[in-house]
Amino acid sequence: MASTKSSSPIGKAETRTEMRSLISIADLTNDEIEEIFSLADAVQRLRSERPANGQIMATLFYEPSTRTRLSFESAMQRLGGSVISCSDMKSSSVAKGETLADTAKVVSAYADVLVVRHNWDGAVQAMAEHADVPVINAGDGGHEHPTQTLCDLYTLRQEKGALKGLTVVVCGDLKNGRTIHSLVFALARFGANVVTLAANGMELPQYVLERLEREYDYALAPMASDDLSAVMTETDALYLTPKQPHQLALFTQVDEVIQARLNSLATGLRYDAFYMTRKQKERMKDGAADASYPTIGPEFLREQRFQDTVVMHPLPRVDELSPELDRDWRGIYFKQAAYGVPVRMALLKFLFDRREAKAAAPINKAPAYKSPEKLGPQCHNPNCVTLKEPVSTDKRFELFTVGENGTLILGCAYCDHRFKVQFVGDVKSKRYCSYDHSLAGQIDGWLEKKQLAIFNSIKEAEELGYEPIKSGPQRALMNDVEIASALAEMSRQILRDCRDPDRLLILGVRSVGSQLAQRIAAEIENQRKRKIELGEIEIYGSGDEIKRLAPADPDAAPLSLKDREVILVDDVVHTGRTVKSALSIIFRSGRPQSVRLAVLIDRGHREVPVKPNYVGKNIPSSEKDRVRVKLRGLEQEEKDQVVIFSVIGPADAVKSPSAGGEKKAARS
Ligand code: NCD
């Protein structure tokens, strides 16, 4: 991740040199971190040598900051360099809609290093891919904050000597606290033990736990926690009863002895540090922000067994630390903040010395995956930069299997979130199937040949013209006459229910849905003798999601949804997920008066509560069956028809690719 090179669809600069950035704590090896610490130890020498003389650092903070920004700026000036900054990113070109990619490119020409904080996960990685100078992540959404971790580790090392073997309790909002995520990876790498003490519902995210397990060989062990419940107080007694599942510890090796100790001992572990964090309200939905939260109170100071336990906090604190701690030597959070300057001086010097050097190879990284198709898998994290600003990103993933069942997992290269692969396909033969671990060998082959397509849904595969890897014989369910009369009836009903036909907007889901939408609109126009506005909604693409449907008047204004009576048209409602995505695009794009749903076929296997208002035909067949609407013109069909067929399991299909109703096989 640390070496960056522009490979995005926009502004691709093939000849750029790779550059050393710091996006994740994983971008630094342990030796490099030690080297930075040695530089920080010699801060006086750095101050007199002024190694950044003539260099400029730009700070781009899209989120509030005091410590990180000021300590970076102070560090740069103490190194002899200077600083340029936007006092408020909201008053920069961002307000005019400038992309991260453009900002990164432009500011690269003004500065020798960029320090960026952003509220989207992965945003700093995206900027680094477009910048021509090193970029430092000063916090990206709820993802990582690697320079805070350098300060934290340095503080621990100053206080405790070595990091190996320490036991650090991380407390509070472990879910949204980016400082925590970088910190636990680093502690794991240096061989420290981590005890997690999360506020209720704010446990370490799954992707962090999985990464700890896969990349650092750490395992989770439940622990008895009476000794912690004695010192942590909370507004209501929601958590911290012994053996709650969120009281977990991460140990380098969970051998039987440790396990037995953990299970049986209420006390006995030596805690070297408590690392407390603030509730990250700005990353929470309304209700969650009011949930109760632990605090470290004065009891902590009186407990004999915590007499050597230091209390850390990345700051700002709200009310999770008792003021009594400020007056006790164990409250070291202000010292921790002060180390921000020498550590960031050391980091800047370290990066300047390696401007053109590649980063060390990341630890245990899985192979990278990029979809060979235009539509490809999307990250499931709604705060990921790949969803917030697709144009500045390059949708890359790590691909690996986990567990005994060999579940196939994609990990987003920007925000690290992981999700399960549901459908895979072969680009060459244009066949797809649901993923099954018996396909692992096959998948490796496809991946190697860059032929592996991954889809979020069957619908997406079908949109790209993929056929099931193997299917049973097709049986016709509706012919062209039946389809035409169903559409005519639906059109009549739509017009009947419509309060103001001038406000009607027919929106088809691309691509079969939009064909049907055109036919419905034509029917209505026929009945009303007036033009009806017609649009198309693209669920899986990036960029323009709702557009007028051709042939549109080139001078026509963009479609407005405000106060419209929208009829969303799709061919088949199976699980309802596509419709749900379409609805969220609609509500994101404007405020219609109403949205009603028209589908030719309703399968009724609904996973989401969407109920069509107008249905051509109900076909509640089994889950394994696929119903497809084939329209003349679209799939070289001569006549419209609706067919049903069964999809045969991928394992059988791969073993005997040429058997059965389909001739074309996955192996081509
Ligand atoms: C942290 C941050 O911004 O993530 N602050 C910091 O950089 N020292 C912690 C926080 O805001 O709670």
Side-chain angles (χ1 to χ4, degrees), residues 619-637:
I619 306 178
S621 47
S622 91
E623 292 272 4
K624 285 207 145 193
D625 294 332
R626 285 295 299 164
V627 169
R628 276 186 82 172
V629 177
K630 300 186 157 192
L631 297 180
R632 72 182 125 75
L634 263 187
E635 304 185 38
Q636 293 130 24
E637 300 289 324

Side-chain angles (χ1 to χ4, degrees), residues 76-89:
M76 187 62 178
Q77 295 193 14
R78 286 189 170 163
L79 288 175
S82 49
V83 180
I84 56 171
S85 192
C86 254
S87 56
D88 173 10
M89 287 312 286

Side-chain angles (χ1 to χ4, degrees), residues 363-435:
I363 334 168
N364 299 343
K365 276 272 177 209
Y369 173 76
K370 204 178 146 186
S371 177
E373 290 286 4
K374 181 172 126 303
L375 308 181
Q378 291 217 12
C379 181
H380 290 197
N381 168 13
N383 197 45
C384 178
V385 63
T386 59
L387 273 84
K388 296 282 192 187
E389 199 176 282
V391 70
S392 295
T393 67
D394 188 29
K395 291 224 183 88
R396 294 185 319 274
F397 299 89
E398 266 187 89
L399 186 68
F400 52 92
T401 53
V402 293
E404 281 171 18
N405 297 334
T407 309
L408 191 62
I409 301 286
L410 281 179
C412 175
Y414 292 83
C415 75
D416 265 348
H417 281 243
R418 276 110 212 267
F419 52 95
K420 213 171 126 182
V421 170
Q422 305 271 15
F423 302 99
V424 292
D426 172 35
V427 176
K428 217 162 161 204
S429 61
K430 287 258 171 192
R431 299 279 144 165
Y432 78 85
C433 57
S434 66
Y435 179 74

Side-chain angles (χ1 to χ4, degrees), residues 269-495:
L269 277 175
R270 188 199 70 231
Y271 299 112
D272 297 289
F274 268 63
Y275 189 100
M276 192 63 188
T277 54
R278 170 181 72 89
K279 190 195 283 180
Q280 307 283 306
K281 283 192 176 175
E282 67 275 31
R283 304 193 206 294
M284 292 177 183
K285 298 225 172 72
D286 293 347
D290 300 331
S292 59
Y293 201 73
T295 58
I296 297 187
E299 306 85 350
F300 167 85
L301 297 172
R302 292 191 272 278
E303 283 284 337
Q304 184 58 28
R305 64 179 177 279
F306 297 122
Q307 58 178 339
D308 291 326
T309 309
V310 293
V311 178
M312 299 170 71
H313 195 302
L315 304 179
R317 62 172 156 177
V318 187
D319 46 18
E320 56 279 353
L321 295 180
S322 151
E324 272 184 60
L325 276 171
D326 296 4
R327 295 184 288 274
D328 192 282
W329 75 269
R330 286 165 287 181
I332 59 167
Y333 26 88
F334 293 117
K335 234 194 235 180
Q336 187 187 350
Y339 285 136
V341 177
V343 169
R344 289 182 171 110
M345 283 169 79
L347 171 68
L348 287 167
K349 159 85 175 135
F350 173 90
L351 288 178
F352 285 147
D353 286 349
R354 285 165 181 73
R355 217 179 294 258
E356 306 276 286
K358 279 190 187 180
I363 334 168
N364 299 343
K365 276 272 177 209
Y369 173 76
K370 204 178 146 186
S371 177
E373 290 286 4
K374 181 172 126 303
L375 308 181
Q378 291 217 12
C379 181
H380 290 197
N381 168 13
N383 197 45
C384 178
V385 63
T386 59
L387 273 84
K388 296 282 192 187
E389 199 176 282
V391 70
S392 295
T393 67
D394 188 29
K395 291 224 183 88
R396 294 185 319 274
F397 299 89
E398 266 187 89
L399 186 68
F400 52 92
T401 53
V402 293
E404 281 171 18
N405 297 334
T407 309
L408 191 62
I409 301 286
L410 281 179
C412 175
Y414 292 83
C415 75
D416 265 348
H417 281 243
R418 276 110 212 267
F419 52 95
K420 213 171 126 182
V421 170
Q422 305 271 15
F423 302 99
V424 292
D426 172 35
V427 176
K428 217 162 161 204
S429 61
K430 287 258 171 192
R431 299 279 144 165
Y432 78 85
C433 57
S434 66
Y435 179 74
D436 180 289
H437 74 281
S438 62
L439 288 175
Q442 187 84 5
I443 298 277
D444 284 347
W446 290 346
L447 187 64
E448 217 167 89
K449 290 190 228 138
K450 298 200 177 349
Q451 271 172 233
L452 174 67
I454 293 178
F455 309 106
N456 290 315
S457 65
I458 293 184
K459 176 111 180 161
E460 194 182 294
E462 290 176 352
E463 281 302 309
L464 287 162
Y466 281 67
E467 290 278 333
I469 214 164
K470 192 173 163 226
S471 56
Q474 299 192 350
R475 188 161 57 83
L477 288 176
M478 281 174 102
N479 63 24
D480 53 345
V481 179
E482 288 164 315
I483 292 173
S485 84
L487 290 174
E489 177 53 28
M490 285 160 73
S491 309
R492 261 193 301 281
Q493 290 171 6
I494 290 169
L495 201 52

